Amino acid sequence: MKIKLIDIFAALNNKSLFEKFLIIIWILMPFLMMASKSLTDFFITLIAISFLIKSTIDFSWSWLKISWVKWSLLFFTSSIISASLSSLVEISLGNGLSWIRFPIFAIAISYWLIKEKQIVYISLVTNFLSLLFIFLLMGLESIMTNHEIFTWPFRNPLNGPFIHRIGIIFYCISVLSLFSNSPYKLFSIFFILISLFFSLLSGHRVGTFSFVIIILICTFWPNFNLKKSMLISFGFLSLLFVYFIINPSAFDRYFIDIVNLTNTSLLQYLGQWKTGINVFVENPLIGIGPTNVQNYLEINLIENFDPFNNNEHPHNHYLQAFAETGFFGGIFYCLMAISIILNCYKTTKFQLDYINNYFKFSIFITSVCLFWPFSNGHDLFGQQQNSFLWYVLSLIMVLGCILKNINRKSDI
């Protein structure tokens, strides 16, 4: 995969000045996320609104036929209905209405703005550089401060969610390389070592488990290879053993406290999940409205099962969807996630060359890691971490479209 500046300029040549601006914003978005969550959200909203305006002017709405878009719109509709019938209509309706910017942003990128493989490739380079930059900051922060939780550059402990979103496609490619006859295995091993180290250092347990998911999938798909899986798993476990010997407190956090049910964050999660389940059981038809689990807890309208009495959302997208939008809203959200995964899986059927084969398999594995049941613990209707999630979804969607075009041309 060779990237030449002249090819990138040529790819941008047929775009309007405004489209060029939006494309550059999308390419630089991983770094913008570090600078300002509000600025990032503004650009996501700008891209979404611009796409809607263009669709209206051109009277082009064929993108509404895409399966996952249909389910997202049905979930959006359920959110509006549940918000309108809730006890806190104004705040809930505002959060429900604003959620739609994320899926429209993703479809705007893949359906409208990005059609050229050169732009996608340079965005992948930008992603990789942003990942290395976060690793560098985490290393500097561990040396220069006494912080137990990493907060550079987000000013919040979001390094873990960031590296397990932005970096996930590269982790997939690296593990796939180990399962293949790739000449870049040494580089892949080195990158996995570095990535796993910083993943563990971030303390983001759910994100670190993505490595387990990737290895497990690669064991059985696209080719069953038990021998390589055992070797890779042994290496993975050996690295964990060395890390936990050096850092025994991390072993307590990742294993001992979880097995003994003494970890405070785990107990808090269990309580918040129970709160969400209880809300759904008591309000199964339409739920209580977007963000209203947290809102209702703050004014004591529902029972709080969190042992620490934090007024928080359910910390699981699926539970939150069912609790706050009811049975149909929850089903629509699940179907949206499944539809995205299935669309990514269809990409794996394309007949492609060497490097693009890595991309097609990694797209599907990435989608699984993004949507497995415990992958999203942030607020379903929130701002910052949703920008992480939907940015990566826009990237794999547009990459899938590029691979589809390459496959189509090879068939001619």
Side-chain angles (χ1 to χ4, degrees):
M1 181 179 69
K2 295 182 179 180
I3 303 173
K4 297 180 181 178
L5 284 176
I6 190 170
D7 293 332
I8 297 170
F9 288 128
L12 290 170
N13 215 19
N14 296 324
K15 308 287 185 180
S16 69
L17 184 61
F18 183 62
E19 287 173 342
K20 290 176 184 176
F21 170 72
L22 294 182
I23 289 169
I24 291 171
I25 288 299
W26 181 73
I27 291 172
L28 296 176
M29 196 162 281
F31 286 100
L32 290 175
M33 291 172 183
M34 303 177 200
S36 170
K37 66 178 181 180
S38 297
L39 186 62
T40 302
D41 195 50
F42 169 77
F43 285 127
I44 286 174
T45 305
L46 178 64
I47 290 172
I49 292 174
S50 301
F51 179 60
L52 289 178
I53 293 173
K54 178 178 172 56
S55 296
T56 303
I57 293 172
D58 297 344
F59 201 71
S60 174
W61 302 97
S62 56
W63 52 274
L64 292 173
K65 298 178 182 178
I66 299 173
S67 58
W68 74 265
V69 175
K70 293 178 183 178
W71 296 123
S72 69
L73 291 174
L74 286 170
F75 171 70
F76 173 66
T77 303
S78 300
S79 300
I80 301 309
I81 294 172
S82 62
S84 301
L85 298 175
S86 71
S87 299
L88 298 172
V89 176
E90 187 175 344
I91 186 171
S92 184
L93 189 59
N95 287 310
L97 285 169
S98 62
W99 175 84
I100 197 62
R101 70 193 186 275
F102 294 114
I104 293 178
F105 159 76
I107 199 65
I109 296 298
S110 59
Y111 194 86
W112 167 43
L113 278 179
I114 314 296
K115 300 289 185 182
E116 298 78 14
K117 63 181 180 181
Q118 294 88 351
I119 297 176
V120 179
Y121 292 158
I122 195 65
S123 70
L124 286 169
V125 172
T126 305
N127 273 263
F128 190 73
L129 292 175
S130 70
L131 184 66
L132 295 182
F133 182 65
I134 290 292
F135 288 167
L136 175 63
L137 287 181
M138 289 178 69
L140 290 174
E141 189 172 5
S142 64
I143 294 171
M144 298 173 63
T145 72
N146 294 322
H147 297 168
E148 293 184 4
I149 299 175
F150 294 90
T151 59
W152 295 358
F154 300 103
R155 298 167 294 280
N156 283 307
L158 293 172
N159 299 60
F162 182 88
I163 66 177
H164 294 119
R165 291 286 188 267
I166 302 301
I168 192 69
I169 192 168
F170 302 111
Y171 308 151
C172 293
I173 292 172
S174 298
V175 175
L176 281 166
S177 174
L178 298 184
F179 275 88
S180 69
N181 296 319
S182 169
Y184 304 107
K185 283 186 179 180
L186 285 178
F187 176 80
S188 296
I189 291 171
F190 177 75
F191 176 69
I192 290 172
L193 284 173
I194 296 295
S195 301
L196 182 59
F197 172 76
F198 284 105
S199 176
L200 292 167
L201 199 63
S202 73
H204 191 232
R205 290 169 295 204
V206 172
T208 302
F209 194 74
S210 294
F211 287 95
V212 177
I213 295 173
I214 296 169
I215 293 172
L216 184 62
I217 293 175
C218 290
T219 300
F220 300 97
W221 182 87
N223 298 302
F224 178 72
N225 198 324
L226 184 58
K227 182 179 179 181
K228 283 189 176 180
S229 178
M230 291 177 67
L231 288 172
I232 294 169
S233 298
F234 177 77
F236 179 76
L237 293 173
S238 298
L239 289 173
L240 291 180
F241 179 77
V242 172
Y243 181 83
F244 291 138
I245 286 292
I246 297 172
N247 192 354
S249 62
F251 181 71
D252 290 339
R253 173 177 170 78
Y254 277 86
F255 292 101
I256 301 299
D257 290 350
I258 292 176
V259 173
N260 295 335
L261 291 178
T262 57
N263 183 269
T264 55
S265 62
L266 175 62
L267 293 174
Q268 186 175 327
Y269 275 125
L270 291 173
Q272 289 158 352
W273 295 340
K274 186 176 180 180
T275 300
I277 292 170
N278 187 64
V279 168
F280 171 65
V281 170
E282 293 183 351
N283 305 270
L285 190 58
I286 60 170
I288 61 173
T291 69
N292 271 346
V293 168
Q294 183 171 345
N295 297 332
Y296 282 17
L297 285 172
E298 289 175 353
I299 56 177
N300 296 315
L301 282 183
I302 56 175
E303 185 176 359
N304 193 346
F305 291 93
D306 179 358
F308 303 100
N309 291 314
N310 294 295
N311 298 325
E312 290 279 359
H313 55 86
H315 279 80
N316 181 284
H317 275 197
Y318 302 104
L319 284 179
Q320 188 172 359
F322 279 100
E324 296 184 344
T325 65
F327 175 78
F328 293 104
I331 291 296
F332 293 147
Y333 186 82
C334 292
L335 289 173
M336 181 198 74
I338 292 169
S339 182
I340 291 174
I341 294 172
L342 289 177
N343 283 348
C344 292
Y345 180 73
K346 290 176 184 177
T347 307
T348 66
K349 302 300 181 181
F350 299 155
Q351 298 299 316
L352 301 167
D353 58 16
Y354 178 73
I355 186 63
N356 286 322
N357 271 328
Y358 282 100
F359 285 140
K360 75 177 184 182
F361 294 131
S362 63
I363 287 172
F364 170 65
I365 300 173
T366 295
S367 69
V368 173
C369 291
L370 290 176
F371 281 116
W372 74 282
F374 297 100
S375 61
N376 294 299
H378 58 279
D379 185 0
L380 171 58
F381 299 94
Q383 181 189 60
Q384 191 165 21
Q385 289 200 53
N386 264 326
S387 68
F388 296 174
L389 172 64
W390 284 96
Y391 169 77
V392 177
L393 286 173
S394 75
L395 176 64
I396 64 174
M397 285 177 188
V398 75
L399 187 53
C401 291
I402 296 296
L403 296 180
K404 184 178 180 179
N405 291 333
I406 293 173
N407 177 69
R408 189 177 296 158
K409 289 177 182 178
S410 65
D411 290 340
I412 297 176

